[in-house]
Amino acid sequence: MKQTQEGGSGRLQGSLGPLAIVFIVVAAAAPLTIMVSTPTNMANANGAGMSATYFVAPMLLLLFAGGFAAMSRYVPKAGAFYSYVAAALGRSIGVGAGFTAMGGYFIFQSFVYTLMGLTINETLVSFFGENAVTLPWYVWVFLMIALVGWLGYQEVDVNAKVLAIVLLLEVLVIMVINVAVVARGGGPEGISLTGHLAPDVLFSAPIAISLLIGFSVGLGFEATALFRDEARDPERTIPRAIYITLISAAVFYSISTWALAQAWGTRGISELLAQEPDRQFSLFYETADIWVGSVFSQSVQLLAITSMFACVLAYHNIIARYLHSMGHSVLPLQLTYVHADHKSPYIASLVTSVGGVLITLAWLSTGLDPYVFIGWEIAVGTLSVLIVFVLTSLAIFVFFRRHPDLDRRLWVTGIAPILSFAVLAVIMVTAMLNFSSLSGAADARVLNTVLMLIPPALFCLGVVTAQVAKRRDPDRFQGIV
């Protein structure tokens, strides 16, 4: 095994339990950031009905999760999507899926870095005044990339502890708001336990659009399998982490969104967001201010920044582990190096940080409005991940049809994956048909077409990379699965 001054090429090791992995994965969803953006989701979808949608969408993902968890037992690789698609549909297609997933996470990471830099700047201006803030907002982006890169260099246990602390604080402040609203009897319409389920509320927007937005609270659970090599007893830890992540997300976000709606009224909140769209980005902070207090609201603003930080740290770890896993087969071997002391994928982590810097520099050089670019990134990242979910659903079905003796549970290995494939394919097509709404570029047909082609281009790049690797080093290529 080739050695370096820092360590050598090898598999990652660790003793993460299911809760530690859940903290890492759920932090990528950034609960506080989701709640801050929920009024915008309500305005774009079914208003107070988002409470029910936030519950249903993760539950639908359980169709996918069962087969995904079963695959984790029989494909002992830490590549998640990449490894599972390769095991069923072929190594080249698997690498294409891996490139698409990794590209999607890179794009999501860039979007959150940008949003965090803007939020830090805006928070400082609100606290100290515009004249006191002299640094450009993007300086904070590069500082955060450096800090995340340093943490990515450390042991994964350190990352898990940081993410756990931030995540618990986020959940705590959201629960304080929930309790305050309920304890004081709600807003002008009082407390309604079923108002959000009324047909005129629940179906006030096309259900496919609402589900597309609702899936945002469940996506990310698939990253649990990326930490297989660092998990304690992975055959039990990974499936538990998957189910804990999805079920807790469904319950928590559904209750919290319901409480937010009760603060303004089940129907009143939709009317408010329609009449005053500029308040979409501040409504959650307003709710904290009115129902708990101004000091608490300011604390929520600060925690929103730490929420975004936890999110990019989680994405950083996910991307680094994709790079590390693919370094064993199709990407440069140096990506597989593990730090001798920290046991971290330090080269892959460094490449992830450099990638974040390059993406930021590239779009800054265009002079684009950062909020415009954020919209593009959200649209492309969402489509990338959906494409890989659809491919993996098909891969799960094919894998267990080829190996029927591994798991005889027809629902988990046959029916659920096909239903998952159908549901996610519909959501993917919906995303493509409504891509201009996701990207925010409603009148730019050519631009939207170019943006939609990015995920397929990533897939094709992965397939080409796989073919090159197969010719150069067939033995390494066989190591994908």
Side-chain angles (χ1 to χ4, degrees), residues 329-343:
S329 54
V330 296
L331 293 181
L333 184 64
Q334 288 85 348
L335 291 169
T336 68
Y337 288 176
V338 177
H339 195 280
D341 296 324
H342 302 310
K343 308 303 179 186

Side-chain angles (χ1 to χ4, degrees), residues 411-433:
W411 171 259
V412 170
T413 63
I415 298 174
I418 284 297
L419 290 175
S420 170
F421 174 81
V423 170
L424 291 170
V426 168
I427 298 299
M428 181 185 71
V429 172
T430 300
M432 296 175 71
L433 294 175

Side-chain angles (χ1 to χ4, degrees), residues 212-288:
L212 172 62
I213 294 173
F215 274 123
S216 64
V217 303
L219 295 180
F221 77 91
E222 70 284 354
T224 51
L226 288 172
F227 295 89
R228 178 185 176 86
D229 290 343
E230 297 158 276
R232 180 177 65 246
D233 190 8
E235 291 190 4
R236 299 176 62 187
T237 297
I238 299 303
R240 287 179 182 177
I242 290 170
Y243 290 119
I244 291 172
T245 299
L246 281 174
I247 293 172
S248 61
V251 174
F252 177 75
Y253 291 118
S254 178
I255 291 174
S256 300
T257 304
W258 170 82
L260 176 64
Q262 301 313 299
W264 301 90
T266 299
R267 287 171 172 76
I269 194 168
S270 295
E271 295 174 2
L272 172 64
L273 293 170
Q275 294 169 5
E276 301 181 58
D278 291 344
R279 293 175 67 182
Q280 292 176 16
F281 300 102
S282 63
L283 195 67
F284 188 78
Y285 299 127
E286 290 181 41
T287 307

